[in-house]
Amino acid sequence: MKPGSVAIVGAAETTEMGVIPDLSVIQLHADAALNTMKDAGLGPKDIDGVATAGESPVAIAHYLGITPTWLDGTAVGGCSFMLHVRHAAAAINEGLCRTVLITHGESGRSRVGAAGRWGSPASLQGQFEGPYGTSGPPSSFTIPVLRYMKEYGLTHEQLAMVAVVQREWAGMNPRASYRDPITVEDVLNSRMIAYPFHLLECCLVTDGGGALILTSADRAKDFPRKPVYIIGTGESSETPMVSQMEDFTTSKAFRVSGKKAFDEAGISHDDVDHLMVYDAFAHLPIYGLEDLGFCKRGEGAQFIWEGNTRPGGKLPLNTNGGGLSYMHSGMYGMYALQESVRQMRGIAPAQVPGAKISIAHGVGGMFAASGTIIMSNERP
Amino acid sequence: MAEHRKPLPHPTPETKDFWDGTKAGELRLQRCNDCTHTYFPPRPFCPECASRSVSSFKASGRGKLYSYVINHRPAPGFEHDAPYAIAVVELDEGPRMMTSMVGVEQTPEALVLDMPVAAVFEPGNEHLNVPKFRPAAGAAR
Ligand SMILES: [Zn+2]
């Protein structure tokens, strides 16, 4: 895409966040969509493009009373919404639609109206991973890390520090699920989930939703909110099976998606004021920092350990508290995007002073897919 | 609470040869007849060069422990095994596969990365066995 040609003009999360037993999945989508349309000063008749994952975009459009001329049901896991932003920007520039609504809603904890979780035993994962007792992301997304630890000397303490720093950010966010400070010792003393991962190194399981509205940059200035411009986008995928990653110490999808976005935006790493890296587990920010090129291979954990990503550090990372402390409904990418938008609007609870460029980097599945969105509050 | 049985694979036409191999006590891999690339999981073409001319062969069944977790929250059917390792081995022929480690304590001390391992086959059903791995001679214990 042409950097800055499309902007986010509406962004909001569900009214409640965390445990929402009285809303089903589709109503979580709708609650976020209604808040977002209000944020943008639009109604359903003003929307002509719909994208979502988890639910069908047909179901969302019908439920909200939208007649779309463009639909995107790309569903590659938690980063699907980054891909939707990228696809929407292309569609808007191509004239396929003018105003796109992207929705997310998930009853991750309460499971109200939620679909089943288990795949077919005839799928490749079902045949070649399921028989070994994987029980969801905590016992499979985590498998590469011992290899990383051996290759680069990552310590248990450094891994734990990721969660400690993100809790610092969460402490500044009234909507975060967990806000009390924690120490490395607390993390290492928390219940073992899948060695080497303790409870506090694993994401939360909560209910919630979020939505975005995008339109052309030329129209964006007529909306009530300050536009947040899309200046770089990337996406890629590697493998649906974590056991088949090319290299357990780095994500190919991260590298390809990140490079695409940086090249498109034409920025350097020093230009980035704020970073969101989807943190389903504590190793994700480490891989993200390295695979996006902010740190050399093997140096991401030390970068966090030294305080560079904490409040006041030179690269504020996961400033909402992240999936580890803010919320994680299952497909967290939407919340990373929401926090980037808040930072670019200047209204985040833990606002980074003067931030002009933010990156929201997502993962889908277990290192299966990736999407990267670079935003700015200045049109390039 | 109902007892769950461990999930068993449902072979497809493209993977049947692999699973037939497990019944015969063989770990089978596939190799491209055009570019010699050896790959896993099975499919009737080469993921390196897209050639449909590929052959299945009996692999050594030897490899090394590449990475793992020790899962404390058992999947259905694994309630009596927890905590148990979910491992990835790198085969001597190159490909990696997920597996379980048997004949060894499921602890970080006993499960040492890069230790040599060898395939064993646990009874599955009338169509297939499940390939697992045990420490091989010379393994650090
Ligand atoms: Zn080939």
Side-chain angles (χ1 to χ4, degrees):
Chain A
M1 67 168 292
K2 189 169 166 290
S5 57
V6 168
I8 295 169
V9 294
E13 295 173 343
T14 43
T15 308
E16 303 296 327
M17 186 69 81
V19 182
I20 315 174
D22 54 343
L23 296 186
S24 72
V25 171
I26 197 164
Q27 187 55 34
L28 289 166
H29 282 259
D31 184 52
L34 294 171
N35 287 343
T36 302
M37 286 191 276
K38 187 171 177 213
D39 184 63
L42 296 179
K45 307 301 171 216
D46 303 314
I47 311 283
D48 58 0
V50 174
T52 193
E55 277 283 350
S56 153
V58 174
I60 296 300
H62 178 258
Y63 195 64
L64 291 168
I66 294 166
T67 304
T69 64
W70 177 85
L71 296 149
D72 182 8
T74 302
V76 294
C79 65
S80 299
F81 316 102
M82 280 81 175
L83 276 65
H84 296 154
V85 168
R86 187 168 200 246
H87 302 172
I92 290 165
N93 279 332
E94 184 62 21
L96 306 183
C97 52
R98 279 161 54 95
T99 312
V100 170
L101 172 71
I102 303 171
T103 70
H104 160 72
E106 208 165 8
S107 188
R109 173 162 291 279
S110 306
R111 314 279 320 151
V112 186
R117 300 188 208 208
W118 305 105
S120 159
S123 69
L124 289 175
Q125 296 99 305
Q127 291 187 66
F128 297 108
E129 296 193 332
Y132 302 110
T134 52
S135 50
S139 59
S140 34
F141 210 156
T142 49
I143 287 176
V145 168
L146 280 187
R147 173 52 51 179
Y148 184 107
M149 291 174 115
K150 173 152 184 177
E151 300 280 324
Y152 290 115
L154 169 70
T155 65
H156 294 280
E157 288 74 16
Q158 284 177 318
L159 192 60
M161 184 57 100
V162 176
V164 172
V165 171
Q166 291 196 198
R167 185 60 65 84
E168 285 184 37
W169 286 112
M172 301 162 76
N173 184 353
R175 270 163 71 88
S177 295
Y178 292 109
R179 303 185 59 205
D180 294 339
I182 51 174
T183 64
V184 166
E185 206 173 32
D186 293 335
V187 176
L188 296 179
N189 286 334
S190 66
R191 187 156 52 87
M192 189 67 81
I193 298 295
Y195 174 85
F197 284 79
H198 306 79
L199 180 68
L200 293 175
E201 290 159 324
C202 302
C203 64
L204 311 168
V205 182
T206 56
D207 307 325
L212 297 168
I213 293 174
L214 284 79
T215 192
S216 67
D218 293 336
R219 288 182 68 210
K221 49 189 182 306
D222 302 329
F223 284 78
R225 297 285 199 168
K226 187 171 153 184
V228 177
Y229 299 96
I230 309 299
I231 64 168
T233 64
E235 69 188 273
S236 190
S237 69
E238 181 172 356
T239 167
M241 303 165 73
V242 69
S243 62
Q244 299 305 311
M245 280 176 84
E246 241 173 51
D247 181 338
F248 277 27
T249 68
T250 172
S251 161
K252 184 167 84 171
F254 279 19
R255 296 195 312 273
V256 173
S257 176
K259 183 174 186 326
K260 265 285 200 215
F262 267 94
D263 288 352
E264 202 168 83
I267 59 166
S268 74
H269 291 84
D270 288 340
D271 297 326
V272 179
D273 303 306
H274 171 252
L275 176 63
M276 298 297 293
V277 175
Y278 189 137
D279 57 323
F281 297 92
H283 58 312
L284 270 295
I286 298 170
Y287 283 61
L289 283 168
E290 296 176 15
D291 291 337
L292 292 175
F294 288 98
C295 297
K296 291 197 187 113
R297 299 274 294 276
E299 295 181 1
Q302 189 58 23
F303 185 80
I304 293 171
W305 184 268
E306 288 167 358
N308 291 300
T309 62
R310 66 163 34 126
K314 69 176 178 194
L315 183 61
L317 170 70
N318 293 344
T319 49
N320 59 355
L324 296 178
S325 286
Y326 176 54
M327 81 85 65
H328 192 289
S329 57
M331 293 191 286
Y332 168 84
M334 175 57 80
Y335 308 96
L337 289 163
Q338 293 286 337
E339 176 67 6
S340 283
V341 171
R342 285 192 293 265
Q343 289 286 349
M344 292 299 91
R345 287 176 168 184
I347 58 164
Q351 181 63 39
V352 176
K356 291 190 171 64
I357 292 183
S358 171
I359 298 184
H361 178 73
V363 67
M366 272 73 88
F367 287 122
S370 186
T372 313
I373 300 298
I374 308 183
M375 306 176 195
S376 178
N377 45 25
E378 294 178 345
R379 193 173 176 181
Chain B
M1 226 172 95
E3 237 357 57
H4 290 279
R5 277 200 280 171
K6 289 182 184 173
L8 284 174
H10 289 193
T12 60
E14 299 80 24
T15 63
K16 183 173 180 297
D17 175 72
F18 177 88
W19 293 113
D20 287 350
T22 63
K23 203 64 189 169
E26 296 181 1
L27 188 70
R28 293 183 188 164
L29 292 174
Q30 289 174 302
R31 187 188 292 127
C32 176
N33 295 331
D34 287 321
C35 79
T36 76
H37 179 60
T38 299
Y39 61 90
F40 176 88
R43 71 208 83 166
F45 60 90
C46 169
E48 194 64 33
C49 75
S51 168
R52 292 175 189 259
S53 173
V54 297
S55 308
S56 149
F57 68 99
K58 181 186 171 183
S60 66
R62 302 219 152 229
K64 61 176 189 173
L65 179 58
Y66 191 71
S67 202
Y68 65 89
V69 292
I70 301 172
N71 188 18
H72 289 246
R73 300 200 317 167
F78 289 78
E79 290 82 358
H80 301 304
D81 299 348
Y84 58 91
I86 303 169
V88 173
V89 299
E90 186 169 280
L91 301 170
D92 284 356
E93 292 81 2
R96 297 187 201 118
M97 61 184 293
M98 190 175 280
T99 193
S100 304
M101 291 297 298
V102 298
V104 57
E105 279 204 56
Q106 309 286 291
T107 63
E109 294 71 30
L111 295 168
V112 180
L113 290 199
D114 298 320
M115 67 198 258
V117 297
V120 294
F121 296 91
E122 284 207 341
N125 57 26
E126 69 266 41
H127 302 296
L128 56 89
N129 293 323
V130 179
K132 299 192 171 178
F133 285 78
R134 60 168 174 78
R141 291 300 298 271

